[in-house]
């Protein structure tokens, strides 16, 4: 290797080191760490409708934690597209677009 290549590699390594020094990566989550609470209690008592909604959400979260392998799909549809979402991470599973032709104008 010539001198210019070695100088380039040296400055590249120094720049990577400085980037890591000034912008450290977030610590990786370990399996032993507990997830943060999703609902915080307040001093005032919530309304009856909010309590029912909170209980339903808590029950849904518990059921998803007990059987995470069961995947469900939710469909949003209009004239132009059909979007299929998964309950696992809220990911978009499918995008279906209609084919327009003389036989199928709509």
């Amino acid at each position: 290797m010539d001198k210019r290549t070695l100088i380039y590699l040296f400055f590249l390594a120094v720049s990577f080191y400085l980037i890591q020094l000034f912008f450290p990566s977030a610590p990786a989550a370990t399996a032993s760490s507990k997830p943060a609470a999703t609902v915080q209690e307040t001093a005032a008592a919530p309304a009856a409708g909010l309590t029912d909604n909170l209980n339903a959400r808590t029950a849904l979260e518990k059921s998803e934690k007990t059987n995470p392998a069961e995947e469900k799909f939710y469909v949003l549809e209009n004239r132009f597209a059909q979007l299929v979402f998964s309950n696992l991470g809220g990911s978009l599973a499918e995008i279906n677009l209609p084919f327009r032709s003389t036989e199928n104008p709509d």
Side-chain angles (χ1 to χ4, degrees):
M1 288 205 274
D2 62 342
K3 187 169 131 181
R4 293 175 70 179
T5 305
L6 291 175
I7 291 173
Y8 171 76
L9 291 177
F10 173 75
F11 282 115
L12 183 67
V14 169
S15 64
F16 284 149
Y17 175 74
L18 292 175
I19 289 172
Q20 287 297 318
L21 182 67
F22 290 115
F23 305 107
S25 61
T30 60
S32 63
S33 66
K34 294 182 181 179
T38 57
V39 178
Q40 296 179 354
E41 293 184 10
T42 58
L50 293 176
T51 304
D52 294 338
N53 188 14
L54 181 64
N55 291 338
R57 186 185 325 166
T58 306
L60 179 64
E61 288 173 356
K62 287 181 183 177
S63 68
E64 287 180 354
K65 288 179 184 176
T66 57
N67 193 3
E70 183 179 336
E71 186 173 15
K72 296 179 185 176
F73 297 99
Y74 300 95
V75 178
L76 292 176
E77 183 175 12
N78 64 12
R79 291 182 24 191
F80 306 108
Q82 181 184 39
L83 304 174
V84 181
F85 292 93
S86 171
N87 68 332
L88 300 178
S91 62
L92 186 59
E94 294 180 26
I95 300 174
N96 298 320
L97 301 173
F99 290 110
R100 296 190 186 256
S101 64
T102 56
E103 296 90 28
N104 188 12
D106 193 25

